[in-house]
Amino acid sequence: MAFCLVTFPRLSTAPVLGASPVNLSVNSTNPQALLQQGRTLYESGQLSAAAAILQQAVQGYRAQGDALSTAMSLSNLALVYEQLGSWAEANQALSQSLEILQTQRDLDNQRLSVLAQTLEIQGRVQLAQGQAEAALATWEQAATIYKQVGNEIDATQTQIRQAQALQILGFHQRAIGLLQPLSQSLENQSDSPTKAMGLRSLGEVLQIVGNLDQAYSVTQKSLEAAQRLQLPQAIASAQLSLGNIARAQQKNEETLNFYQQVAKGSGSPTIKLQAQLNQLSFLLETNQVSQAQALVSPIQQQINTLPPSRTTVYAQINFARSLTRLNQLNSPSVQSWADITQGLITARGQAEALGDQRAQAYAMGHLGEIYERTKQWNEAQSLTEQALFLSQKINANDMTYRWHWQIGRILEAQGKPEKAIAAYSSAVDILQSLRSDLVTVNPEVQFSFKESVEPIHRELVSLLLKDNDGKSSPEKLEKARQVMESLQIAELNNFLREACLDVQAVKLDEVAGVQQVAVIYPIILPDRLEVIINLPGQQLSHKSTKITSEEVEALVERLQGALYNRISLEFRPLSQQVYDLLIRPIEQDLGQSQVNTLVFVLDGALRNIPMGALNDGQQYLLEKYAIALTPGLQLVSPKPLQQKDLSVLAVGITEARQWRSQQFSPLPNVEPELKTIQAELPTRILLDEDFTIERFKAAVKSSAAPIVHLATHGQFSSRQEETFILTGEDNVAIDVGQLNSLLQSSELGRSEPIELLVLSACQTASGDKRAALGLAGVAVRAGARSTVASLWSVNDEATSMLMGRFYEELARQDVTKAEALRQAQLSILQDPRFRRHPYFWAPFILVGNWL
């Protein structure tokens, strides 16, 4: 029997249900003929008729005493029941088949093959009922048996299924580890359904972990194989995956094109429905409301034709969420709140009948959300608490945090702030414990980071800092600080697509008290800007300014543009406005505390501007303080730079380079820059064609230099695939993931990690509001204690001068890295050629350990 599994949540393998009826004339007493007729009916989509015929085949083989054929017929019957959504019948047929097979004393290859097939089908039924862990274990057993009998094709197919279960469980890296070698083998094989499925599965998990270009390439190969084989199901599945990848790449026209191809094609109804649901949410996401409204009725009709199944339940939930968003956009109502509620009630009932507690919890939780939106607080709280109870019962933390958050919102709306804080805190604590890819933490119903993770942290902080007398308790301030640290780390985990950050507890007194450091947390909230400050020997305090988040972001964006424009003086009033927001409220406290270094844990758009360029009307902030940034103190281990045996590995390019479709100009001052460094500290240089990935890695390992200096083009972006550093070879770049393997000491036998990574010609992606997130990602992924980089591409001569002075300062015994960078920037600021504009000196920032 042919199998073709489509990656969750599109589990159906049924052919087109509208296929023409098949009329067969067979001897109804011949079980072998009945079995063949059942298969033919199944393949034509006549599932109920197929089930009836296969039941007769089972009875016929039993009458003949043919145990093996009875077991095989029962497993095929279970597959048909799975397509019908008849889970009790499917489980019963599988149980009977396995009982027959496991009582056979001599399991020869033929019997083992039937056992493996039965286990494979059992895994599918388990997965369809929400039992991903059980399905994984069952498929592992099936794959072992297939290999035992020498059936490599089905063993490969079953391993692909294991990878799909791993994805559902959130183990994306394990899924890649399983699929990568399989796909390399499949690409060299002739076309087959297994090849098409394996390549598509790899593409889908690569998309989840953020390797979008590779995901697209692999999935395109899957589509081409399916087209050559003329497999409608596999074609539709590949097109749907390509649409999802194009959507992640923000290729809007291509996204719609793929979704529409699937909806118009000859794939199964469930795949068509998934394409329509994705198209609907995409149209709403891109504010194409009228086109979205036109899809509502066809989708509702499609859902109504599907039998109850896990797929149907999640389709109902997805649909309800899109309808909710449509109503929120104040568009002419296509479906009322009552209609949306009824759809979720139906989904809950189906999930309960299926015995799928996970799907039941999702349906009830989202039903509670509808009541929340319509301000029916008692019903909203009751349903959400039921959803919470169920998700806790099955240990589903990946949805439990959402129901804690929802209860928090409901309690806050009812004027119960302390209880709301407790609920929000539970949600944040669970997110911290998950430490997983927070974009895909809900694989059944996709939520973005900005929709489902970031708001929880900000709403909790807002509650903690919302006080009537202007003074929050020290406990609440400390809690707010910790929550913002958690948000920073969650955002970096989300960017890096894996929980790879080494987090440690922080004692603020040790950070600030001994080191004359002020730690400053600006927090952008919807209705105000909060600034939490920690000063040596003092309790945390905070200042609040009434200004909307939209106003803050607009101001920061204008300042960012003005700092890029070296012929305009517009930056002056703008930098003073931002100074007035961030520094003016705490200016007196800073002056009285005699701190010499400011460490900022910046929030949102504020990461895109250099704090040193803020101006009080007389002086730049840099002229008064050394400045450092950190994504969070939990990621910093403050430790002074050891001057003993200080040396540098310096690499760079001077010639023009190409990366993908981008052209990068020559950097003629790079060679003098590296020579200047060499004059200050022992330095090994790899320039132009000598700067290859392999030579660089070998040099890192052999030199054990604590400082690595990269004078090359690069870019920081909020998208991992657009964050890179160019090498000396055309079209070869180092990405964020590679930095880990190139620089991490644990893999190279170094006694100490990289102390300082300097990126002297990189820049943040223009037009990307969260581009500096890429810079922070590079800094933490490299494993270096400190990173110096530039927010924009700077005048080549000024950069060369600044770097020379920076290393001159580093060579001194009594200077921190933050102070060394400050003195280097001051030397450029005081140069008559460059003093007029911060463009020349301001973009260089220090991220991480400032000592």
Side-chain angles (χ1 to χ4, degrees), residues 264-280:
K264 295 175 183 176
S266 55
S268 74
T270 50
I271 297 178
K272 289 183 178 182
L273 176 59
Q274 186 64 60
Q276 288 180 306
L277 286 167
N278 288 6
Q279 185 179 346
L280 175 61

Side-chain angles (χ1 to χ4, degrees), residues 659-676:
W659 170 240
R660 297 174 179 159
S661 59
Q662 293 178 264
Q663 294 291 332
F664 293 88
S665 60
L667 296 170
N669 277 303
V670 161
E671 188 169 5
E673 176 183 324
L674 301 188
K675 295 292 186 184
T676 302

Side-chain angles (χ1 to χ4, degrees), residues 98 148 312 364 413 493 520 529 575 579 687 710 729 781:
L98 289 170
Q148 183 180 339
T312 307
M364 281 197 297
N493 276 333
I520 301 170
L529 179 72
S575 69
Y579 183 97
L687 195 62
L710 281 74
E729 304 170 271
R781 199 68 181 100

Side-chain angles (χ1 to χ4, degrees), residues 38 67 70 156 246 318 465 613:
T70 301
T156 297
N318 270 322
L465 300 182

